Amino acid sequence: MAEEAGTGLVFHPMEPFKIHSMFDGEPIRWFEFFVPTNATLWMAIGVVMIALLMVVGTLRRALVPGRIQSLAELAYGFVHKMVEDVAGKDGLVYFPYIFTMFLFILFSNFLGLIPMAFTPTSHIAVTGVMALGVFIGVTALGFMKHGSHFLNLFWVSAAPLPLRPILAVIEVISYFVRPVSHSIRLAGNMMAGHAVIEVFAAFAPVILISFVGVVVTPLALLAIVGMYALEILVAFVQAYVFTILTCVYLKDALHPGH
Amino acid sequence: MANETHAVEAAAAVAGHAAEAAEKGGMPQLDFSTFPNQIFWLLLALGAIYWLLKNIAIPRIAGILADRAGTITGDLEAAEQYKLKAKDAEAAYAKALADARAQAQKIIAEARAAIQKDLDAATAKADADIAARVAQSEVKIAEIRAGALEAVQIVATETATAIVTALGGKADMGAVNAAVGQRVKG
């Protein structure tokens, strides 16, 4: 099988994640930040879809909502309730920011499931900026609201006194790891799922090359379908996880201390 | 080639893909030359979404939800009002029904009393009539009886006179009258 596969099978699991200019298809250089790329295109499609759902879909302001307005209200209610439940009523001031991130991630994840599409959230640059934004914003907020009392977050007053310095070190480390795990979780999930589908997809045309394909091709197709279903779940769950973690961090900033 | 071995193991080993990708210049995710571009467009996209949500979508949806809650509360209140009204109407209806019934009873009683009165009057009149007629009849009967007695006496006297004459006697009117009167009386 190995020699047969070697003749025709080509693996490019990282191909869908490549970024290139929309004009010439060439990779962009570091100073060309204003050049629209495929990443730009799919972010723009996401913005347009969000506008269609949240703005155009609610144009009629129907008392009894239609299908699209129902979805818009559902999304609003979902995130609004999450912020209120996790961060508390005073967290609702920051609801627009959290809702913005939720919708961006959700639409990016789902649009990325369209074949040949690009997934902005599979890139650590994108998730990293958002996670850092949350981290810096929440930390600044904590100090602005509580001053030095915000440091109580690291001082576990419920623990026995001798343990507290050790716990404080652990708490500080875990606090600074937050943006890392926050961003890599999302980008990693999106990348891994797409890459695995890509690998299975590479196995799918084996039937054109070899007799072994009679077994391999149906299995590969089945695996793609299964992975795709899983990815649909992951697309939502990761948007949800990113959002709820943001709410948790916000809660820590608004109500520090254990 | 590395590709040949990958064909076998790649399905499971994500590390393998990374290694292969590394051959072609590493993961696109770690290509730092794309970072400024991605970050620039990301901030633009997030800014656009934020602007849309903050200025249009969120106030609008909040308004819709508030309107709906208000409408539902208002409708419930109106329903409560209607319920109270229905209850009042039912009470009024029951009262009207009871009044009507009482009125009907009263009218029936009055009618009955009036009829009874008329009936009594008519009965009394009829009784008086009957009594008068009875009296009249009795008078007539008495007259007839008296007349009959007189006729009997005359007939008896005449018969007695005729019998006495036929026997060849000479009727003494005084004696005959006395005898007849005695017999008729007795």
Side-chain angles (χ1 to χ4, degrees):
Chain A
M1 180 186 163
E3 58 268 5
E4 284 160 351
T7 58
L9 281 188
V10 196
F11 287 91
H12 294 300
M14 288 298 136
E15 201 61 29
F17 305 112
K18 284 212 172 121
I19 290 174
H20 50 77
S21 161
M22 286 305 286
F23 296 131
D24 49 16
E26 290 298 310
I28 52 152
R29 282 157 290 176
W30 67 269
F31 52 85
E32 294 176 315
F33 62 85
F34 46 83
V35 177
T37 62
N38 50 342
T40 312
L41 172 71
W42 285 95
M43 285 183 200
I45 293 174
V47 173
V48 170
M49 299 299 279
I50 291 170
L52 283 178
L53 172 68
M54 300 306 295
V55 176
V56 180
T58 56
L59 263 180
R60 286 176 50 223
R61 299 166 190 261
L63 201 61
V64 178
R67 269 173 284 187
I68 298 182
Q69 192 185 318
S70 284
L71 274 178
E73 288 176 14
L74 192 71
Y76 175 95
F78 179 69
V79 180
H80 197 269
K81 188 169 184 305
M82 197 196 298
V83 176
E84 193 178 347
D85 287 353
V86 178
K89 279 234 183 280
D90 43 354
L92 284 178
V93 186
Y94 311 100
F95 165 65
Y97 300 98
I98 296 173
F99 198 26
T100 299
M101 280 192 292
F102 173 75
L103 285 179
F104 176 79
I105 296 169
L106 189 76
F107 274 79
S108 173
N109 290 358
F110 271 112
L111 288 171
L113 286 174
I114 298 171
M116 311 304 289
F118 177 85
T119 317
T121 40
S122 67
H123 273 259
I124 195 74
V126 168
T127 61
V129 165
M130 284 194 290
L132 267 179
V134 171
F135 178 75
I136 294 170
V138 155
T139 309
L141 191 70
F143 278 113
M144 267 154 49
K145 288 242 170 194
H146 304 284
S148 60
H149 287 296
F150 181 57
L151 295 174
N152 286 346
L153 187 62
F154 308 113
W155 197 249
V156 188
S157 50
L161 193 58
L163 274 179
R164 284 184 205 173
I166 305 165
L167 282 176
V169 173
I170 296 172
E171 289 284 331
V172 169
I173 292 172
S174 80
Y175 189 82
F176 281 95
V177 168
R178 275 177 179 185
V180 179
S181 63
H182 202 190
S183 57
I184 291 181
R185 180 183 302 110
L186 174 57
N189 266 290
M190 297 325 293
M191 188 197 80
H194 290 221
V196 170
I197 289 182
E198 200 73 18
V199 170
F200 284 131
F203 274 112
V206 167
I207 196 163
L208 302 173
I209 305 161
S210 150
F211 160 73
V212 195
V214 177
V215 180
V216 173
T217 300
L219 278 178
L221 290 177
L222 207 66
I224 291 173
V225 172
M227 274 311 294
Y228 198 91
L230 184 67
E231 280 306 290
I232 288 173
L233 188 69
V234 168
F236 174 75
V237 167
Q238 287 307 318
Y240 173 71
V241 166
F242 193 96
T243 314
I244 203 159
L245 279 175
T246 305
C247 293
V248 170
Y249 300 160
L250 182 63
K251 186 210 78 179
D252 281 347
L254 295 173
H255 315 284
H258 295 265
Chain B
M1 283 299 291
N3 268 347
E4 292 172 21
T5 49
H6 276 175
V8 186
E9 67 188 32
V14 177
H17 323 316
E20 188 195 15
E23 282 174 27
K24 296 171 185 170
M27 289 166 66
Q29 279 85 349
L30 298 178
D31 180 0
F32 293 104
S33 61
T34 67
F35 274 34
N37 182 284
Q38 288 194 68
I39 292 166
F40 171 73
W41 289 108
L42 168 71
L43 294 178
L44 221 61
L46 287 178
I49 297 170
Y50 178 78
W51 188 87
L52 285 174
L53 292 181
K54 175 85 181 170
N55 292 301
I56 305 176
I58 290 175
R60 189 184 285 167
I61 293 176
I64 291 169
L65 294 179
D67 279 359
R68 186 173 305 149
T71 306
I72 290 171
T73 319
D75 284 358
L76 284 177
E77 265 168 21
E80 198 62 35
Q81 294 283 329
Y82 283 131
K83 208 174 164 188
L84 285 177
K85 267 188 195 167
K87 239 176 207 168
D88 287 355
E90 201 190 340
Y93 166 76
K95 191 170 173 291
L97 195 66
D99 283 359
R101 226 170 237 159
Q103 194 72 25
Q105 293 291 345
K106 206 173 134 198
I107 289 168
I108 289 170
E110 272 171 9
R112 189 175 281 157
I115 290 167
Q116 192 63 47
K117 208 173 135 199
D118 284 359
L119 193 63
D120 286 353
T123 309
K125 204 180 153 212
D127 281 354
D129 262 11
I130 291 165
R133 287 218 187 139
V134 167
Q136 237 171 14
S137 302
E138 273 170 0
V139 169
K140 264 189 186 165
I141 289 167
E143 275 173 9
I144 290 168
R145 186 174 284 159
L149 278 175
E150 219 167 288
V152 165
Q153 200 156 359
I154 292 168
V155 170
T157 310
E158 281 176 1
T159 309
T161 312
I163 289 167
V164 168
T165 311
L167 290 175
K170 178 101 175 344
D172 177 6
M173 280 313 284
V176 169
N177 276 346
V180 168
Q182 201 174 357
R183 281 293 176 128
V184 171
K185 258 185 196 164

